[in-house]
Amino acid sequence: MISLYVIAAFAVVIVFSFLIAPRRASVEGFFEGQVAGCAPGLWTLVLSQVTTWIFARSLMNSAILGYYYGAAGTLAYAAYYLSFLTGGYIIGQLRACDATSVQDWLGARFGAVGQGTYNAVIALRLLSEVFANLLVVGLIFSAVLPEMAGAGTVAVVVVAVMGLAYSAWGGLSAALRTDVVQMLLFLAVFGVAFLYLVASPEFSFAAIVTSEGTSGSRQGWVLLAVALLQVFSYPAHDPVMMDRGFIADRRTTRNSFLHAFWLSALCILAFGVFGIHAANLGAAYEGQLLATWSGMFPTWVFVALLVSLLVSALSTLDSALASAARLCVEELRLAPRSLAGGRVVMVIFMALGGALTLWGNSTLFDAVAVSGTASMFLTPVMIAVFVFGWSVPVWSYLVSFSAAIIGAAAYFLRSADFMVSILPDAPKYEQLLVICVAVLVVGFAAVLIGSRRVAD
């Protein structure tokens, strides 16, 4: 019965998405998000930013980290949403330089090397977005249809095809318009579930705030430190956020980032409460918390949580595909700037992202940790230029980039024998903190030395 409710509710969301998507597509709308020649308004941008950043993987991460590490774990993940403030600052600096994208700015300073290294990182980021959200879809349907072999795989294929269908029709304009509806649906459905939770007799805000989860809060505080180290560069390597920073006037853009910060942070913290509450009740961890919740809440609350996750997954998929089309067509020039060119790119990215779901890695935070570490090469460079006005040489940029990529690889391969002998004998998040500090030390040293030599 639960499966029927989930399928029916999600089918309604998909139908609404098709109805809201623009009936007629244009090249400007596909790549620039314009509708009838006009840029999107403030709340279209706000809701689009929020729904693409509180995607299914993030909601699950927040709940899982809350379950294991209590309030500290959920707070650590919410700290990544400070990216809206740092991202707004970065966009403001780029537009003050008359840059039209991060690639434009990097190309002016570091040439093809700057653009090529950045594009490689964000291409992997976009693939991970498609993969991770399809993975959550598969996990949900595997949980609600345990008796059906391959239910998760079938769901992944169906959602991939449906999401691709309306995304490829309208591109960025379709993503923006459907994001608004999907976000409003998310807030309504999730809001009802959250109100039920806080009104239940066993719920206590004091217990939530002081909870240390099932594994103690130490690793949660470590993750908070990691998030604060990564949060300056993190938004710069997210093309979905950066693309939305150049499609409206500066005042609208600045305000959209501010509103997106508090709204998305509240959603992440609220979803994390469900994980913390499960730990406080002593519930056993099962299947990314999905099976845990099914035994904790009434059917309608459980369905509301699952539909919230599915809506957020769908909204992220269309935005990731729109950004992938823009990257390959406008920045890499791998396809003609036409509707057909953009659609071909979307098909390729969806196919590759779907194929990655067969890889079998269900540790959702790892993708965040690896991509966040890889993005840290931008922190020393942007701080040097934006804050101090220094001129950074190409070799300094490359040293910072190399340090970040090596750091990301080290965390990803931390279980390999050769990495075990190098990394400290500590929990993985403490290893990640050490790696992040090392990446920043090397990057800042290279930028400081290089900038001084240029000044001399």
Side-chain angles (χ1 to χ4, degrees):
M1 186 61 70
I2 291 177
S3 60
L4 292 177
Y5 291 145
V6 172
I7 292 171
F10 191 46
V12 170
V13 173
I14 291 178
V15 169
F16 266 103
S17 298
F18 274 101
L19 293 176
I20 293 300
R23 301 274 69 81
R24 300 183 63 180
S26 66
V27 173
E28 291 72 21
F30 197 96
F31 294 104
E32 300 172 19
Q34 295 184 3
V35 177
C38 298
L42 172 61
W43 284 101
T44 296
L45 273 181
V46 172
L47 295 177
S48 180
Q49 291 271 39
V50 173
T51 193
T52 52
W53 257 63
I54 57 166
F55 40 82
R57 182 183 69 188
S58 289
L59 295 172
M60 290 305 302
N61 280 335
S62 177
I64 292 168
L65 293 174
Y67 177 87
Y68 281 115
Y69 310 123
T74 290
L75 185 62
Y77 203 81
Y80 276 99
Y81 288 76
L82 290 168
S83 293
F84 280 111
L85 302 183
T86 56
Y89 171 77
I90 291 170
I91 290 292
Q93 293 295 314
L94 294 178
R95 295 185 68 162
C97 301
D98 294 323
T100 57
S101 66
V102 179
Q103 290 96 328
D104 186 28
W105 182 79
L106 288 173
R109 289 185 170 273
F110 307 110
V113 170
Q115 291 180 328
T117 50
Y118 176 79
N119 285 333
V121 170
I122 66 170
L124 292 175
R125 163 79 178 181
L126 287 169
L127 272 179
S128 75
E129 294 301 292
V130 176
F131 154 71
N133 284 281
L134 288 178
L135 177 61
V136 173
V137 170
L139 291 171
I140 288 173
F141 281 95
S142 294
V144 300
L145 291 169
E147 72 283 354
M148 178 181 171
T153 301
V154 173
V156 165
V157 173
V158 171
V159 172
V161 171
M162 291 296 99
L164 178 62
Y166 77 79
S167 300
W169 179 255
L172 183 56
S173 61
L176 289 168
R177 292 180 66 169
T178 55
D179 283 349
V180 173
V181 174
Q182 290 161 355
M183 186 61 201
L184 293 175
L185 287 173
F186 169 86
L187 290 174
V189 174
F190 176 63
V192 171
F194 186 74
L195 288 175
Y196 169 85
L197 177 66
V198 299
S200 60
E202 67 271 19
F203 182 83
S204 167
F205 272 113
I208 293 295
V209 172
T210 58
S211 173
E212 296 192 350
T214 60
S215 301
S217 61
R218 175 180 171 83
Q219 294 305 303
W221 296 119
V222 171
L223 278 176
L224 178 59
V226 170
L228 294 177
L229 290 178
Q230 294 184 349
V231 76
F232 186 84
S233 62
Y234 199 85
H237 93 301
D238 179 24
V240 173
M241 179 184 283
M242 291 295 102
D243 286 352
R244 282 156 176 74
F246 294 92
I247 58 179
D249 63 83
R250 294 187 185 184
R251 180 179 179 182
T252 299
T253 301
R254 181 175 62 252
N255 290 337
S256 74
F257 275 78
L258 292 173
H259 288 306
F261 162 66
W262 66 261
L263 182 55
S264 60
L266 284 179
C267 290
I268 287 296
L269 289 171
F271 211 92
V273 169
F274 282 88
I276 300 172
H277 185 64
N280 288 349
L281 294 183
Y285 181 91
E286 298 180 59
Q288 302 285 351
L289 283 180
L290 297 176
T292 303
W293 285 337
S294 68
M296 286 177 55
F297 301 118
T299 298
W300 70 269
V301 175
F302 182 52
V303 170
L305 290 174
L306 297 186
V307 172
S308 299
L309 288 169
L310 290 170
V311 170
S312 63
L314 189 64
S315 66
T316 304
L317 286 173
D318 58 30
S319 294
L321 293 176
S323 290
R326 184 188 178 283
L327 169 67
C328 293
V329 171
E330 298 205 324
E331 300 297 340
L332 298 178
R333 303 183 188 280
L334 297 177
R337 193 176 189 273
S338 64
L339 296 178
R343 288 164 179 167
V344 168
V345 172
M346 286 185 170
V347 171
I348 293 173
F349 266 78
M350 184 64 90
L352 291 174
L356 283 174
T357 61
L358 302 176
W359 177 35
N361 180 14
S362 60
T363 306
L364 294 173
F365 184 75
D366 277 0
V368 178
V370 171
S371 68
T373 305
S375 75
M376 293 179 74
F377 74 96
L378 291 167
T379 298
V381 175
M382 287 187 164
I383 288 180
V385 176
F386 294 156
V387 179
F388 298 106
W390 295 346
S391 180
V392 179
V394 175
W395 74 262
S396 297
Y397 172 87
L398 285 175
V399 169
S400 184
F401 174 79
S402 300
I405 297 303
I406 291 172
Y411 182 74
F412 184 72
L413 301 171
R414 62 188 178 277
S415 299
D417 291 339
F418 70 96
M419 287 309 306
V420 170
S421 62
I422 297 174
L423 293 174
D425 183 16
K428 64 179 182 179
Y429 296 138
E430 292 185 24
Q431 292 177 334
L432 178 60
L433 178 60
V434 170
I435 290 171
C436 290
V437 171
V439 167
L440 288 179
V441 167
V442 173
F444 273 109
V447 167
L448 180 60
I449 294 171
S451 299
R452 284 184 172 179
R453 287 180 177 177
V454 170
D456 293 340

